[in-house]
Amino acid sequence: MADPYSAQTPGPFALRRSRVLRKIRDGKVARVLKLNTTDPKVAEIFASAQPDAIWLCMEHVGATWSDIEHQIRAARIHDVDTVLRVARGSYSDYVRGLELDATGLIVPHVMNEEDATNIRNYTKFYPLGRRAVDGGNADAQFTRVGILDYMKQANAERFICHQIEDPEAVENLEPIAEIDGVDCLFFGPGDYSVALGIPGQLDHPDIENVRRRVAEVARKNGKIAATVCAQPNIGTYADMGYNFLSVGADVIALVNYADAAMAAFGDL
């Protein structure tokens, strides 16, 4: 079958290029901040600190699509990517975030090769997958980006993180990583520790072994290696091979500030 993109002359309009992918393609580590709140002002405050991306969430947060849309706009003002963790569902639950112009998705609890292939097919355009085409939304500049440009650029400048956080996924790690169109393996140590019966023991040797393995398999297969990271561990995880690190969250900052402010009163 002929490649429909081969003779295509790019049009005057294009999707916004991913800052995360630019950083990683330059051999650097993408810096990410996580949001559990839904206020676009918080997204703008975080984006103004110039991370490469802010992580938005619809898996554990009661955000609406309108909330997400406003947060994406707030980040875009500062040329900062947004990576949206979706709730597991139908293909439309995934592509809607991309069409709002999220730069990447995090899909939780990917279990095996079949699961990862289905996600790839939902989120990647032909010839990688079977993503449905609209083109009338923010990512394609409301039809200004031609359909072939749109499909080609979306496959190249948008990325999907497959979250590895269950023993079943670790058993199937190599087949998942080998799939063309799986852009990133994202190790989730919290849920993995729960699955092992050692909740919260994120430095346990069994967690550390899988943390190292995810990075190794991802990089060996040319994928992004992503995980969460405390600030003191940034250098260690980067040396391990991780090139996408989420450090801190808005709720942690707010809790620490509020607790410190109240503690400042002492025994008054």
Side-chain angles (χ1 to χ4, degrees), residues 99-251:
E99 289 172 344
L100 292 175
D101 208 19
T103 324
L105 300 181
I106 301 171
V107 182
H109 294 287
V110 178
M111 292 294 188
N112 51 44
E113 183 179 4
E114 180 183 8
D115 194 15
T117 299
N118 287 335
I119 293 163
R120 186 275 310 277
N121 288 341
Y122 287 161
T123 56
K124 294 292 184 179
F125 286 124
Y126 171 90
L128 285 175
R130 300 178 179 180
R131 177 180 163 185
V133 182
D134 187 280
N137 296 296
D139 59 336
Q141 298 193 35
F142 306 102
T143 73
R144 289 186 177 91
V145 181
I147 186 169
L148 295 184
D149 285 339
Y150 175 42
M151 295 168 68
K152 181 178 182 179
Q153 292 167 17
N155 279 354
E157 291 295 331
R158 300 295 178 262
F159 59 94
I160 312 302
C161 303
H162 292 241
Q163 202 156 20
I164 307 299
E165 45 193 346
D166 300 274
E168 297 91 332
V170 174
E171 292 169 6
N172 292 281
L173 197 58
E174 290 277 2
I176 292 171
E178 290 169 358
I179 297 170
D180 194 11
V182 171
D183 302 307
C184 170
L185 301 182
F186 194 126
F187 179 51
D191 278 351
Y192 191 75
S193 74
V194 173
L196 292 188
I198 48 172
Q201 297 182 43
L202 304 189
D203 294 326
H204 190 282
D206 290 346
I207 302 295
E208 183 69 7
N209 289 339
V210 174
R211 182 182 286 118
R212 290 183 178 278
R213 186 171 172 222
V214 170
E216 178 185 348
V217 171
R219 299 302 294 275
K220 181 181 74 173
N221 286 276
K223 313 300 185 181
I224 300 167
T227 194
V228 294
C229 182
Q231 291 178 24
N233 293 332
I234 289 173
T236 300
Y237 287 11
D239 290 342
M240 201 179 292
Y242 283 100
N243 54 355
F244 179 111
L245 292 174
S246 177
V247 182
D250 53 357
V251 289

